[in-house]
Amino acid sequence: SECREWALLELQGVLEIQPSAQHLPLNAFSIGSLCRSQQEKYYFTIGYHELEGKKVSLKKPMLVLQKVLREDPIDVESSPVVLSTQYPTQVQKTSELKAIGIIRHKILFKTRPKALISK
């Protein structure tokens, strides 16, 4: 299994979903575009606003976990009283956490956004 490297985006402020789109699943949204310059500066464009940020190492790495449900068969012992009946296979549902990513850095946007168009 591959454990991919992820990064956090730390923004100041609130991102809000328009009321007309609140019924859509979260993965249906595109928040903006993230670009990196050769000088290791990061630019995040959201609508008509651009944020400038930098890459910062986290003090402690974080894992990205996924809950995986598993069905394990349970051994059912035959009863000596009922010899001809076959017991249906019983299943026990268990869950485990699987590491799917590691986060060692965050992209920090701590300044106010710049307007890309003027009125």
Side-chain angles (χ1 to χ4, degrees):
S1 69
E2 183 180 327
C3 193
R4 300 174 59 188
E5 179 127 0
W6 292 29
L8 290 174
L9 295 180
E10 184 175 324
L11 308 169
Q12 306 300 317
V14 177
L15 294 174
E16 293 182 353
I17 298 173
Q18 296 295 324
S20 61
Q22 288 184 350
H23 68 282
L24 296 173
L26 197 55
N27 62 359
F29 294 99
S30 173
I31 297 171
S33 63
L34 179 67
C35 299
R36 184 184 72 182
S37 71
Q38 291 180 342
Q39 295 80 21
E40 289 296 314
K41 288 186 179 180
Y42 289 81
Y43 297 94
F44 191 36
T45 305
I46 303 173
Y48 297 112
H49 297 91
E50 183 179 73
L51 299 148
E52 184 178 325
K54 62 181 179 176
K55 187 176 184 178
V56 178
S57 294
L58 296 176
K59 291 180 182 177
K60 293 182 180 180
M62 300 169 73
L63 283 177
V64 179
L65 302 174
Q66 180 180 27
K67 187 176 183 179
V68 179
L69 293 176
R70 197 176 66 210
E71 294 184 351
D72 296 325
I74 299 173
D75 291 332
V76 178
E77 295 181 6
S78 299
S79 168
V81 176
V82 182
L83 298 174
S84 62
T85 305
Q86 284 200 331
Y87 291 96
T89 305
Q90 292 184 356
V91 175
Q92 175 183 9
K93 292 186 180 183
T94 58
S95 63
E96 60 184 33
L97 297 175
K98 176 182 173 186
I100 60 170
I102 187 165
I103 302 172
R104 292 187 176 100
H105 300 93
K106 68 180 176 181
I107 311 299
L108 177 61
F109 299 96
K110 63 180 181 180
T111 58
R112 295 185 64 81
K114 178 176 76 172
L116 295 178
I117 62 170
S118 60
K119 293 182 181 181

